[in-house]
Amino acid sequence: MVERAGSRVPHTLAVPDTLEDDASSHDSATDEEDIDLSSAPPAPFTHLREISPLASWTVSTSKPGCGVPALISPSTASFWQSDGPQPHLLNIHFFKLVTIVKLRVYLDFELDESYTPTKMSFAAGMGEYDLVEFGEWKGEQPKGWVEVELDGCGGGELDGEGVLRCMCLQVRVLENHQNGKDTHLRGVQIFSRDERVKAPRGKGENGKVEVGDEGYAELEESDWMGEPELR
């Protein structure tokens, strides 16, 4: 029988004040102990914008409770755990063509051990059926964010750095530490250039306000905010 919200009224139990105080103090202490600030995501790049939430994510297999929601969580304490044969696939679909300037994956050997990937490949295209591999990563006992090299991937350059243009991105986990079967990925972040912000200092072309002396990114200067013109 399916229970709907509001269909049942729970019984109310009288709890002594001392028990309530003990419970509240225990909950507050537990909350403080459970919060791990080291797993919080780093501060965003001043001239980049994360576009990961704009995509649709799918995985080849997953354990219950360790699927896409755990992977896209801002905390690296949660993770995607596969549940099937290799290679383990992560597909990221965008609804339009995007320009990717930074791609990184969070791995933690100390927590995951044999679930830690040691070899991954990356492919991109307009859909799942025309993917072209553009990069490969190999490592031992990684901990932290692993940057994926985008130079020479065919998307051209932006400010002297390689970029990737695609609608579909695929992450393939090919091997794990000690030949482990399943894998753990604790985070994947995709960044695009924030067109409202210029990376260099000073004032650029077309009245755009660029990053200031203190390193804070500012928005474009609107036309009506410029110097008045006599017509």
Side-chain angles (χ1 to χ4, degrees), residues 143-217:
K143 180 177 175 58
W145 289 104
V146 175
E147 302 282 347
V148 179
E149 186 67 42
L150 298 180
D151 290 337
C153 63
E157 291 187 355
L158 185 62
D159 294 337
E161 298 182 355
V163 299
L164 173 66
R165 291 183 172 89
C166 65
M167 289 184 65
C168 181
L169 177 66
Q170 186 177 78
V171 180
R172 305 167 179 168
V173 180
L174 306 178
E175 296 178 6
N176 291 326
H177 184 72
Q178 296 180 342
N179 296 321
K181 175 186 175 184
D182 289 321
T183 194
H184 284 180
L185 289 186
R186 293 181 172 270
V188 177
Q189 288 186 334
I190 307 169
F191 294 90
S192 181
R193 182 66 178 270
D194 193 342
E195 298 299 333
R196 303 171 302 172
V197 177
K198 301 286 286 185
R201 291 179 53 193
K203 197 166 185 178
E205 300 177 355
N206 301 325
K208 294 181 180 179
V209 178
E210 303 175 350
V211 175
D213 295 338
E214 302 297 330
Y216 298 107

Side-chain angles (χ1 to χ4, degrees), residues 53-89:
L54 305 179
S56 173
W57 298 53
T58 59
V59 293
S60 53
T61 59
S62 65
K63 289 280 189 180
C66 296
V68 171
L71 176 60
I72 64 178
S73 169
S75 172
T76 55
S78 60
F79 52 84
W80 163 48
Q81 179 175 334
S82 61
D83 186 19
Q86 296 176 348
H88 306 300
L89 306 179

Side-chain angles (χ1 to χ4, degrees), residues 5-231:
S7 61
R8 299 181 60 184
V9 179
H11 297 286
T12 302
L13 299 179
V15 181
D17 296 337
T18 56
L19 294 180
E20 291 181 352
D21 295 340
D22 293 342
S24 60
S25 61
H26 174 73
D27 291 341
S28 61
T30 303
D31 293 341
E32 293 178 357
E33 293 175 357
D34 291 344
I35 297 175
D36 184 9
L37 297 179
S38 63
S39 64
F45 301 99
T46 56
H47 63 291
L48 301 181
R49 180 170 62 98
E50 185 177 3
I51 59 175
S52 309
L54 305 179
S56 173
W57 298 53
T58 59
V59 293
S60 53
T61 59
S62 65
K63 289 280 189 180
C66 296
V68 171
L71 176 60
I72 64 178
S73 169
S75 172
T76 55
S78 60
F79 52 84
W80 163 48
Q81 179 175 334
S82 61
D83 186 19
Q86 296 176 348
H88 306 300
L89 306 179
L90 165 63
N91 297 309
I92 305 172
H93 300 261
F94 292 93
F95 70 95
K96 67 176 184 178
L97 186 66
V98 295
T99 300
I100 300 172
V101 299
K102 183 179 287 291
L103 170 63
R104 60 183 190 172
V105 181
Y106 193 93
L107 307 175
D108 195 331
F109 171 77
E110 294 182 1
L111 295 177
D112 300 328
E113 297 182 345
S114 62
Y115 290 91
T116 307
T118 57
K119 183 179 180 181
M120 297 184 294
S121 66
F122 304 87
M126 302 302 292
E128 290 188 27
Y129 302 103
D130 65 348
L131 295 174
V132 177
E133 185 174 319
F134 66 87
E136 185 178 89
W137 174 87
K138 293 181 180 180
E140 295 290 339
Q141 302 184 6
K143 180 177 175 58
W145 289 104
V146 175
E147 302 282 347
V148 179
E149 186 67 42
L150 298 180
D151 290 337
C153 63
E157 291 187 355
L158 185 62
D159 294 337
E161 298 182 355
V163 299
L164 173 66
R165 291 183 172 89
C166 65
M167 289 184 65
C168 181
L169 177 66
Q170 186 177 78
V171 180
R172 305 167 179 168
V173 180
L174 306 178
E175 296 178 6
N176 291 326
H177 184 72
Q178 296 180 342
N179 296 321
K181 175 186 175 184
D182 289 321
T183 194
H184 284 180
L185 289 186
R186 293 181 172 270
V188 177
Q189 288 186 334
I190 307 169
F191 294 90
S192 181
R193 182 66 178 270
D194 193 342
E195 298 299 333
R196 303 171 302 172
V197 177
K198 301 286 286 185
R201 291 179 53 193
K203 197 166 185 178
E205 300 177 355
N206 301 325
K208 294 181 180 179
V209 178
E210 303 175 350
V211 175
D213 295 338
E214 302 297 330
Y216 298 107
E218 302 179 8
L219 301 180
E220 291 183 9
E221 183 176 319
S222 302
D223 294 337
W224 60 270
M225 298 176 63
E227 295 293 333
E229 297 182 1
L230 297 179
R231 299 181 181 274

